[in-house]
Amino acid sequence: MRPYLGEFEEIVLLLVAVQHDEAYGFSITKAIEEKLSRAVTMSSVHTALYRLEEKGLVQSRVGGATSERGGRSKRLFTITAQGKEALLEAKKMREQIWSWIPKTVLEL
Amino acid sequence: MKKNIHPVAPPKLATRFFEWYCNDELQESIQGDLLERFEDIASRKGIRRAKINYYLDVIRLMNKYTLRRNKKHHRNHLNPTDMLNYNFLISWRFLSKHRGYALINIIGLSIGLASCLLIFLFLKNELSFDHFHANSENIYRVTTQFNFKVGNMTHFANTPPAFAPGIRGLFPEVEKASRLRYAMRTRFGKDDKSFYEDQGFYADSVFLEIFDFKLITGDAGTALDEPNSIVMTEEMALKYFDKPAPIGETIVLNGDQALKITGILEPVP
């Protein structure tokens, strides 16, 4: 069965794709707050990331330690082929639904 | 390079708590993220907000992904169920390795067990009838068969009142027939004594000839011949009359029907 992709999970997954090979918990939190102006806690981002990893939509590796952040290494996330497929699927579904909306409804 | 270049550090208590619950695999990377987040918020919104946020993040991060999973191996091996688990595992492996034999064994055992249960149920049913009646072989109860729908049938212990006299006229094989009606919660009274009794029956005159309920006093053949006669146990007689054999005296049923006592039953088995 195709794993179900929640709305928040979808956003996190999209941002993992955007920050290709540079995505980690804090950077995604920051992006959601600044670019999407949406209040978010970092813990929920982390949980979403681990859940996505469990579903096989992202994979993670431990990046090299830097002098920032107390010398601690980052866990960097990249999207997997399955993740891309899930994103495309979600997008396709949305476009499909959009195309069903009568034109008059969207006129402002 | 100086190790501690941060002017303000995140709350130590939260950090220690986090280190305590988080598994080693994720600990380092999350701690790095937490620290970055802390500094980011501290620079924008102040240390106070950053600290609160740090606490909240640490608490909210407690979930199945971050908690230590390998506690089982840290535990000292005093768990008595470990061995049981292994035994189950080994049996399961053995059974799946020898499917044919397992199947035969299981089916054989189930059939054996089922037969034993059926035999037991049959015997229990057979032994559940009263055997102290001399004629127990020839006593039958007639039931009413109800057919509700096709294939939906049940037996009721009740039959119409005219059935017992009727069956004797129709079938010569039937020597004697007695009706029996359970008298639920009837009130007996004698002078100022009044009790509810739950174990009485209305019966035909031949009842005591069919069933061998022995009488201490009175004649089983004639005790119930007259209407409004009653036989009772000694225990009940003592309760109402303070004497063991009040033959010929009357007891009042439900406040308005006088019954004549014609016999005293031996204690019913």
Side-chain angles (χ1 to χ4, degrees), chain A residues 70-97:
Chain A
R72 293 185 180 92
S73 55
K74 297 170 182 171
R75 180 168 289 269
L76 298 169
F77 290 84
T78 44
I79 189 163
T80 63
Q82 222 186 328
K84 288 174 202 166
E85 212 177 295
L87 276 183
L88 288 172
E89 184 91 352
K91 192 182 171 206
K92 221 171 88 187
M93 195 180 75
R94 261 156 217 248
E95 281 167 354
Q96 183 94 61
I97 300 172

Side-chain angles (χ1 to χ4, degrees), chain B residues 26-243:
Chain B
L26 292 175
Q27 193 169 108
E28 189 183 333
S29 59
I30 295 180
Q31 265 191 320
D33 285 6
L34 281 171
L35 190 61
E36 248 184 288
R37 174 82 164 157
F38 176 79
E39 285 164 3
D40 178 56
I41 296 178
S43 67
R44 286 187 295 126
K45 296 178 182 169
I47 296 156
R48 216 180 122 76
R49 286 292 291 275
K51 279 188 175 176
I52 292 169
N53 200 279
Y54 190 87
Y55 266 110
L56 288 178
D57 267 340
V58 164
I59 290 165
R60 285 191 193 132
L61 265 168
M62 268 198 292
N63 56 38
K64 66 170 176 166
Y65 303 104
T66 55
L67 291 176
R68 288 182 192 276
R69 269 162 293 186
N70 49 357
K71 273 201 174 144
K72 204 174 177 183
H73 299 290
H74 292 307
R75 208 168 46 194
N76 52 7
H77 276 270
L78 284 172
N79 187 353
T81 64
D82 276 6
M83 197 175 74
L84 259 180
N85 289 342
Y86 277 113
N87 282 335
F88 278 120
L89 185 67
I90 288 165
S91 345
W92 175 248
R93 283 176 186 164
F94 183 85
L95 288 178
S96 33
K97 203 172 173 186
H98 308 278
R99 296 243 163 134
Y101 283 118
L103 211 67
I104 290 169
N105 278 333
I106 290 168
I107 291 176
L109 272 172
S110 346
I111 292 175
L113 213 65
S115 336
C116 278
L117 282 173
L118 284 177
I119 291 169
F120 174 76
L121 284 174
F122 174 75
L123 283 178
K124 203 183 161 210
N125 183 42
E126 286 291 301
L127 294 174
S128 68
F129 296 99
D130 287 344
H131 282 284
F132 59 87
H133 304 298
N135 280 324
S136 61
E137 296 266 305
N138 293 322
I139 298 174
Y140 295 94
R141 169 195 248 182
V142 182
T143 58
T144 307
Q145 180 179 325
F146 274 85
N147 291 311
F148 292 113
K149 283 172 189 165
V150 182
N152 193 351
M153 183 261 281
T154 184
H155 288 279
F156 280 16
N158 296 352
T159 46
F163 188 81
I167 197 175
R168 229 152 35 98
L170 282 172
F171 297 93
E173 299 94 319
V174 180
E175 289 173 21
K176 287 169 185 166
S178 172
R179 292 165 289 190
L180 194 64
R181 183 180 155 218
Y182 181 37
M184 213 181 287
R185 224 172 146 63
T186 41
R187 185 161 52 83
F188 285 96
K190 163 68 183 159
D191 300 336
D192 55 341
K193 285 183 193 170
S194 185
F195 300 101
Y196 279 108
E197 301 291 343
D198 277 332
Q199 305 203 344
F201 287 94
Y202 299 98
D204 277 330
S205 58
V206 292
F207 180 79
L208 289 175
E209 296 166 32
I210 299 173
F211 294 95
D212 287 341
F213 292 109
K214 298 271 186 308
L215 292 184
I216 302 172
T217 330
D219 178 17
T222 57
L224 295 177
D225 280 2
E226 276 177 48
N228 294 332
S229 303
I230 184 172
V231 296
M232 58 177 64
T233 57
E234 201 173 87
E235 188 191 359
M236 187 170 159
L238 285 169
K239 189 157 98 179
Y240 289 91
F241 296 94
D242 297 324
K243 51 184 173 179

Side-chain angles (χ1 to χ4, degrees), chain A residues 8 29 32-34 36-42 44, chain B residues 37 45:
Chain A
F8 187 68
T29 313
I32 293 175
E33 273 187 347
E34 287 179 355
L36 306 179
S37 337
R38 178 169 162 170
V40 70
T41 57
M42 197 170 66
S44 50
Chain B
R37 174 82 164 157
K45 296 178 182 169

